[in-house]
């Protein structure tokens, strides 16, 4: 009986050690695998209709080894681009993000609302536009172009599409100073000054 009781105590101690070690290990792996930036985006105070569907993608290293991390989130909203842009911009301001008016925002002219933001060591691009409204191909068949009838398009193509890109500010080329174009730095010499006679005065030969 005494031996059986001691074995039972040892078994309970081992189970307790496993449970106590497994819980921190689980949360540790979860922290390493889950980027905290996405948790910040999840915490934005936006209504449910503005986050009908969310798809996340990440590339690069969190510690900027070789390439810094790029976080991308694509969100489907159930309302118009105008309404969606308003709620997202208000939520970003409430969360401490500040509008960032900088060149190359966007790099190319885009349809819809494209704004840039900064917070601490991060930069954020917010692009809200109307959805493409072209259904994907099925079983290799070509995509079907929507009907040009506005009433039909209004029934099948509603809502808006939101793209969010978050980068480390140190890896964002827009935070770096633009190169100067002064001639003294580019190696270009100023144009020579021409006289009235392009051939100049004749040079007298020595006698």
């Amino acid at each position: 009986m005494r031996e059986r009781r001691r074995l039972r105590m040892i078994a309970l101690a081992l189970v307790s050690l496993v449970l106590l070690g497994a819980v921190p290990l689980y949360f540790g792996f979860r922290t390493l695998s889950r980027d905290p930036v996405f948790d910040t985006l999840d915490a934005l105070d936006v209504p449910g209709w503005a986050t009908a569907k969310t798809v996340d993608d990440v590339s690069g290293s969190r510690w900027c080894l070789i390439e810094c991390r790029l976080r991308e989130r694509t969100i489907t909203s159930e309302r118009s681009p105008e309404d969606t842009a308003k709620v997202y911009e208000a939520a970003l301001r409430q969360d401490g993000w500040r509008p960032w008016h900088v060149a190359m925002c966007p790099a190319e002219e885009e349809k819809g609302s494209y704004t840039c933001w900064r917070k601490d060591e991060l930069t954020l691009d917010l692009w809200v536009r109307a959805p493409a409204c072209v259904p994907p191909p099925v079983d290799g068949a070509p995509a079907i172009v929507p009907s040009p009838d506005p009433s039909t398009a209004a029934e099948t193509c509603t809502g808006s599409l939101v793209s969010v890109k978050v980068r480390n500010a140190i890896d964002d080329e827009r935070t770096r100073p633009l190169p100067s174009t002064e001639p003294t730095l580019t190696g270009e010499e100023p144009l020579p000054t021409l006289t009235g006679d392009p051939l100049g005065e004749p040079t007298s030969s020595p006698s």
Side-chain angles (χ1 to χ4, degrees):
M1 290 295 294
R2 187 179 301 173
E3 186 69 20
R4 188 179 301 174
R5 188 178 302 168
R6 188 168 65 176
L7 290 175
R8 187 182 299 173
M9 294 295 296
I10 293 175
L12 289 175
L14 290 175
V15 170
S16 300
L17 289 175
V18 170
L19 291 177
L20 290 175
V23 173
L25 192 62
Y26 166 76
F27 284 106
F29 278 119
R30 184 178 178 183
T31 302
L32 290 176
S33 60
R34 175 68 175 177
D35 196 304
V37 172
F38 289 121
D39 294 334
T40 302
L41 296 178
D42 291 337
L44 290 177
D45 187 15
V46 293
W49 55 261
T51 56
K53 182 181 178 182
T54 300
V55 178
D56 291 336
D57 189 23
V58 64
S59 60
S61 168
R62 186 185 301 182
W63 295 277
C64 287
L65 300 176
I66 302 178
E67 183 182 3
C68 287
R69 176 155 290 191
L70 171 63
R71 302 94 169 168
E72 297 181 88
R73 169 169 288 189
T74 304
I75 310 164
T76 302
S77 172
E78 297 175 350
R79 296 193 183 180
S80 66
E82 292 77 13
D83 294 340
T84 304
K86 287 179 182 178
V87 297
Y88 272 97
E89 291 176 7
L92 288 173
R93 286 190 175 90
Q94 184 178 355
D95 193 48
W97 292 88
R98 292 293 173 261
W100 186 31
H101 304 288
V102 64
M104 305 293 290
C105 177
E108 298 179 1
E109 191 67 27
E110 302 285 1
K111 295 182 179 180
S113 171
Y114 199 109
T115 54
C116 297
W117 305 74
R118 285 199 67 171
K119 179 183 179 184
D120 300 331
E121 76 281 1
L122 299 175
T123 66
L124 183 148
D125 288 36
L126 175 67
W127 182 25
V128 185
R129 73 275 189 193
C133 300
V134 177
V138 179
D139 296 332
I144 301 175
V145 179
S147 170
D149 184 4
S151 60
T152 306
E155 295 176 359
T156 59
C157 181
T158 59
S160 56
L161 200 61
V162 182
S163 293
V164 179
K165 292 184 179 182
V166 183
R167 285 174 280 190
N168 294 65
I170 193 174
D171 192 50
D172 195 329
E173 64 276 3
R174 296 170 298 183
T175 62
R176 303 166 192 164
L178 296 176
S180 175
T181 56
E182 294 182 10
T184 56
L185 298 180
T186 57
E188 298 180 2
E189 296 293 335
L191 295 175
T193 304
L194 300 178
T195 60
D197 186 0
L199 300 179
E201 296 294 333
T203 304
S204 58
S205 60
S207 56

